[in-house]
Amino acid sequence: MRLASIIGLLTAGLLLCAPWSLAGTIRVDLGVEQGPMNHRANGYLVSIEPTDPPMELILPLKPTSFRGNTGYVLSNYDRLKQAGVTEFQLTLGLVFEHRALQIFDINQIGLDGNYEPWLAHVDHVIDQVLQRQLSVIWDIYNEPDLAAVPLNDSERLKEGWRLAYQRIKQRIPGAQIVGPSVSRYQLLKSFLEWSDSQGVFPDVVSYHEYADPSEAIRYVNDLRDYLKAHGQARPISVNEILGQESWTSAGYTAGVIAAYERADILSAMRACWPDPQDMSRSYVENTCDNPTLDGLLYVDRKQKRPGWHVYKTYAEMEGVRLSTMTDSPKLHALAALDKTAGTVRLLLGKYEDDSPGDTKVVLKNIGRLVASQQSGTLHLCAEQIPDVGSGPLEAPVVTLDRVFSLEQDELSFTLPQFYHSDAYRVALSLSEQCGGSH
């Protein structure tokens, strides 16, 4: 088919639709830049070993942060540093004990008024970090609200926090402490009020959140307002994201990543959960305990799940973040303009979207992409990342592969096969061919 015919069909078939008449419309404005792409949501939690998974499955994801207990951080620090990780959160205490991994059971802190075992543990970890000259952020507790007596009701846990905080600051001047890493946002402020009154306020404020991605930015903004009002402006880390009910969903994963990148926080780490498909040890395996990158890899530890392709798409988004708008809280978008490469990339996701209609993408001020070029020829590549549950997905599915010339400053197109919980990756480029990044 001739190029002019393709352009005509594209214009007639797509631009005649009313902007908000379809099931969902995503608007991207190349004329409104919102700061650099920081990849703040590209963090991981414990699910890695010194040799597994292989680097060829890690490097394409360009990880930026990692959180784990002492054993995981010490054994994987060098390899993850090589992969690009710049932020390591080292967790000292959890609600169970694992001596081999140097995990201290916080339920044992202060029993019979004895805090020495806890402080001995803290000192031992500090010794190892100093000996290896590692750069870590100190995560004193993980989900202390799930202890036998929750943090906000436990004087022993509060005292344990105070003692660990002071010991770390005493032995490592300038050390950064993150916390309290509670299991949900609603439990955060009570602890912050106590820590403020005691002079042991965390340097980075953290919590876990697994809800609908449309709620993510609201929590971050509420926390920023709270911290500012109390004179305690701090970086924010949502150091576990993606809930157990939907952690394998491609669309949910894309929506959560998009939300936290737009929120411009310090970091967000992917959580790990039990994997119903993995019975390799005669019981349901937990992705916290195997080298699957928190379940981004299938149970064979080799094949990629849809989420892996979502994170890879996110990693490829360089340059500046662009303004995006959708007409539905179930439709999520992230867009980046790489001026050097002459490419616009989109990461899109649906979460529990049952609408039967098509999804339309509208790009405004598209001329900014071709302003410095003699030719206005553009390559459009759209690839579906289907929600296949927890099964593997070898590669995204190409649904649009077109070359056309630009005659107006606005471009629109409809995405085929964009279903209930799917994700999509879209690239509009001056030179890149469809499938070139696989």
Side-chain angles (χ1 to χ4, degrees):
M1 186 179 293
R2 295 180 60 188
L3 183 60
S5 300
I6 295 175
I7 298 170
L9 287 174
L10 182 66
T11 304
L14 302 177
L15 294 182
L16 290 179
C17 299
W20 306 101
S21 63
L22 303 181
T25 300
I26 301 159
R27 294 184 175 275
V28 181
D29 192 341
L30 277 70
V32 181
E33 299 178 4
Q34 298 183 326
M37 286 288 298
N38 292 311
H39 301 99
R40 300 292 173 81
N42 203 357
Y44 298 86
L45 183 74
V46 305
S47 185
I48 185 173
E49 294 176 358
T51 57
D52 286 313
M55 289 297 272
E56 57 262 29
L57 291 173
I58 299 175
L59 290 175
L61 307 184
K62 301 178 184 177
T64 55
S65 58
F66 179 79
R67 177 172 179 260
N69 52 62
T70 306
Y72 279 109
V73 171
L74 295 182
S75 61
N76 292 291
Y77 188 92
D78 293 335
R79 195 158 81 107
L80 288 171
K81 194 83 171 175
Q82 179 186 350
V85 171
T86 57
E87 177 190 339
F88 291 85
Q89 293 188 12
L90 189 155
T91 307
L92 292 170
L94 290 84
V95 294
F96 60 88
E97 181 182 70
H98 193 304
R99 293 188 179 182
L101 293 174
Q102 301 189 53
I103 295 174
F104 193 95
D105 180 0
I106 63 176
N107 293 296
Q108 306 302 311
I109 291 176
L111 287 179
D112 300 321
N114 183 10
Y115 292 90
E116 287 306 313
W118 168 238
L119 285 176
H121 170 71
V122 173
D123 278 327
H124 181 56
V125 178
I126 291 175
D127 290 341
Q128 295 171 85
V129 169
L130 290 175
Q131 181 181 13
R132 290 185 53 183
Q133 299 182 321
L134 306 183
S135 176
V136 302
I137 302 178
W138 296 87
D139 184 33
I140 294 177
Y141 294 150
N142 175 67
E143 297 187 340
D145 54 291
L146 300 183
V149 180
L151 173 63
N152 290 328
D153 302 320
S154 173
E155 294 305 315
R156 290 193 292 113
L157 287 184
K158 290 177 182 177
E159 180 66 4
W161 170 280
R162 188 183 67 81
L163 291 171
Y165 183 102
Q166 292 175 341
R167 183 63 59 90
I168 294 166
K169 293 285 189 179
Q170 176 188 11
R171 294 197 57 191
I172 310 177
Q176 295 284 295
I177 292 176
V178 58
S181 303
V182 288
S183 68
R184 56 188 185 275
Y185 178 69
Q186 288 82 353
L187 300 171
L188 181 61
K189 292 178 183 177
S190 178
F191 172 81
L192 294 181
E193 291 171 3
W194 172 83
S195 63
D196 193 11
S197 71
Q198 298 295 309
V200 290
F201 201 86
D203 301 296
V204 178
V205 177
S206 64
Y207 62 94
H208 302 169
E209 189 52 57
Y210 313 112
D212 189 304
S214 62
E215 295 289 308
I217 294 181
R218 182 171 68 84
Y219 290 138
V220 171
N221 289 339
D222 181 73
L223 179 54
R224 281 200 175 110
D225 290 342
Y226 172 88
L227 294 172
K228 183 178 180 180
H230 288 76
Q232 293 283 13
R234 292 288 194 278
I236 296 170
S237 176
V238 188
N239 51 11
E240 287 193 27
I241 60 173
L242 296 158
Q244 184 172 7
E245 295 78 12
S246 306
W247 65 277
T248 61
S249 166
Y252 174 64
T253 301
V256 171
I257 287 174
Y260 285 115
E261 179 67 23
R262 292 198 307 272
D264 197 26
I265 58 176
L266 175 67
S267 55
M269 285 82 162
R270 178 180 174 87
C272 47
W273 299 104
D275 188 345
Q277 286 207 11
D278 191 346
M279 298 291 290
S280 58
R281 303 188 194 185
S282 301
Y283 55 84
V284 174
E285 179 79 357
N286 195 310
T287 60
C288 299
D289 302 325
N290 60 40
T292 60
L293 298 176
D294 304 315
L296 291 181
L297 301 179
Y298 190 54
V299 297
D300 60 4
R301 282 56 159 170
K302 297 177 182 179
Q303 297 184 81
K304 305 159 187 172
R305 281 175 162 152
W308 189 94
H309 300 286
V310 171
Y311 272 87
K312 180 175 183 289
T313 300
Y314 178 44
E316 293 170 348
M317 300 177 74
E318 301 290 350
V320 295
R321 181 165 50 86
L322 299 174
S323 170
T324 58
M325 293 181 61
T326 72
D327 62 351
S328 167
K330 299 179 182 295
L331 183 59
H332 305 276
L334 183 65
L337 169 63
D338 187 339
K339 299 175 184 178
T340 302
T343 303
V344 173
R345 298 188 188 277
L346 311 181
L347 174 61
L348 313 174
K350 288 187 175 182
Y351 178 55
E352 297 182 343
D353 183 358
D354 295 315
S355 56
D358 293 326
T359 302
K360 180 180 178 180
V361 178
V362 179
L363 295 105
K364 296 179 60 179
N365 295 306
I366 195 70
R368 296 194 66 220
L369 186 61
V370 298
S372 61
Q373 304 292 319
Q374 295 295 324
S375 170
T377 301
L378 296 175
H379 301 256
L380 171 67
C381 180
E383 299 168 278
Q384 177 204 28
I385 305 176
D387 180 24
V388 297
S390 56
L393 178 68
E394 181 178 355
V397 180
V398 176
T399 61
L400 293 176
D401 184 359
R402 294 176 179 170
V403 180
F404 53 92
S405 60
L406 186 66
E407 299 178 354
Q408 299 180 13
D409 209 24
E410 182 173 299
L411 170 69
S412 65
F413 51 90
T414 299
L415 294 173
Q417 303 169 205
F418 198 175
Y419 301 130
H420 178 271
S421 298
D422 291 344
Y424 241 97
R425 48 179 286 150
V426 178
L428 190 66
S429 173
L430 298 170
S431 59
E432 183 175 304
Q433 301 296 316
C434 201
S437 63
H438 295 328

